[in-house]
């Protein structure tokens, strides 16, 4: 299985988002999987020009030639793609949004219902975190990634949203145990997805908890 993570945090490898992604990926390490990590903060990706040449003139190929070209190839050859972003103003980071605008080259034309029939069966996972304790702040992100998955005709198999996310990298002595328990839980979720292709109902219930409740 090819597993690809795409981290949309401007903080890159030092981010809370990366802590979450690496915890989930740990659950895939026990099997013979190929795991790759992309940090968008280290890539050169220009803004989408909205010309839709990738739909009509050169299907699947963007007129802009930058790091996005290789990333799209990697996505097409992946079985599972994990997207990560901190929560900025109740939405994904601008870094990840610029990236997703360029995924127009992968499809999404609402007039072409058969666009995904010959595509590799790829599954998406969404990961995000925020500093506040309000889970409702992720409502926009969840609605967005569900719609994006439908547009690209891929299976969204899991969503991981962490409130009080600062605990991931700034845990004090009282919070360290909760953080460690939570990261072990994320790894178990990754292993569940790796072995069964889905999260258990029990895990889905636990995902509604705050990190300090683990």
């Amino acid at each position: 299985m090819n597993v690809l993570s795409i981290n949309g945090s401007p903080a890159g490898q030092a981010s809370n988002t990366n802590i979450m992604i690496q915890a989930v990926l740990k659950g895939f390490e026990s099997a013979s999987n190929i795991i790759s990590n992309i940090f968008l903060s280290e890539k050169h990706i220009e803004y989408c020009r909205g010309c839709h040449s990738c739909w009509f003139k050169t299907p699947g190929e963007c007129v802009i030639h930058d790091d996005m070209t290789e990333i799209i190839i990697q996505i097409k050859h992946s079985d599972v793609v994990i997207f990560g972003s901190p929560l900025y103003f109740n939405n994904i980071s601008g870094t990840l949004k610029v990236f997703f605008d360029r995924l127009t080259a992968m499809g999404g034309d609402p007039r072409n219902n058969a666009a995904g029939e010959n595509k590799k069966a790829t599954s998406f996972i969404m990961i995000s975190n925020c500093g506040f304790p309000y889970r409702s702040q992720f409502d926009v992100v969840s609605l967005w990634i569900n719609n994006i998955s439908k547009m690209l005709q891929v299976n969204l198999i899991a969503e991981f949203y962490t409130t009080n996310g600062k605990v991931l990298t700034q845990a004090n002595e009282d919070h360290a145990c909760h953080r460690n328990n939570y990261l072990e839980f994320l790894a178990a979720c990754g292993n569940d997805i790796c072995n069964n292709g889905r999260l258990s109902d029990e895990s889905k219930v636990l995902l509604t908890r705050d990190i300090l409740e683990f």
Side-chain angles (χ1 to χ4, degrees):
M1 181 187 298
N2 290 321
V3 184
L4 174 67
S5 79
I6 298 176
N7 188 332
S9 173
Q13 298 187 44
S15 64
N16 293 322
T17 302
N18 191 42
I19 295 292
M20 290 184 66
I21 290 175
Q22 296 309 315
V24 173
L25 286 175
K26 194 171 183 179
F28 287 86
E29 290 178 352
S30 59
S32 56
N33 299 313
I34 299 173
I35 299 174
S36 304
N37 296 281
I38 291 174
F39 296 92
L40 296 182
S41 60
E42 301 173 0
K43 301 296 181 180
H44 173 66
I45 299 175
E46 297 184 21
Y47 297 113
C48 175
R49 299 172 186 172
C51 64
H52 289 100
S53 293
C54 58
W55 283 6
F56 306 116
K57 294 182 180 179
T58 55
E61 183 179 346
C62 183
V63 297
I64 304 170
H65 299 289
D66 54 14
D67 289 338
M68 195 68 191
T69 305
E70 178 59 31
I71 295 176
I72 287 180
I73 292 173
Q74 287 184 262
I75 292 175
K76 289 180 177 179
H77 287 87
S78 297
D79 300 288
V80 176
V81 182
I82 301 173
F83 298 105
S85 173
L87 192 75
Y88 284 175
F89 216 57
N90 284 8
N91 209 330
I92 58 172
S93 67
T95 307
L96 189 62
K97 182 58 170 65
V98 169
F99 164 83
F100 261 95
D101 286 350
R102 292 286 301 283
L103 284 189
T104 299
M106 288 188 63
D109 186 347
R111 295 165 296 185
N112 186 7
N113 294 327
E117 288 183 357
N118 297 316
K119 291 181 180 178
K120 178 180 176 66
T122 302
S123 297
F124 283 176
I125 294 173
M126 185 66 208
I127 286 177
S128 186
N129 62 91
C130 71
F132 294 101
Y134 314 115
R135 187 159 296 275
S136 61
Q137 288 188 285
F138 296 107
D139 288 352
V140 171
V141 175
S142 182
L143 177 63
W144 167 80
I145 192 60
N146 274 273
N147 285 338
I148 287 291
S149 299
K150 290 177 182 177
M151 285 176 60
L152 295 178
Q153 301 184 42
V154 298
N155 183 28
L156 179 63
I157 53 178
E159 298 174 70
F160 298 98
Y161 301 125
T162 302
T163 50
N164 285 310
K166 291 184 178 180
V167 174
L168 291 166
T169 52
Q170 303 176 33
N172 58 34
E173 187 175 345
D174 293 332
H175 295 162
C177 183
H178 297 291
R179 178 198 59 195
N180 294 340
N181 289 340
Y182 181 64
L183 294 179
E184 288 180 6
F185 167 69
L186 291 183
C189 288
N191 187 255
D192 203 12
I193 294 170
C194 177
N195 293 325
N196 306 311
R198 60 183 293 273
L199 285 176
S200 67
D201 292 337
E202 179 183 2
S203 293
K204 290 179 181 179
V205 172
L206 291 174
L207 279 173
T208 63
R209 291 185 179 181
D210 184 87
I211 188 172
L212 296 178
E213 297 176 325
F214 281 84

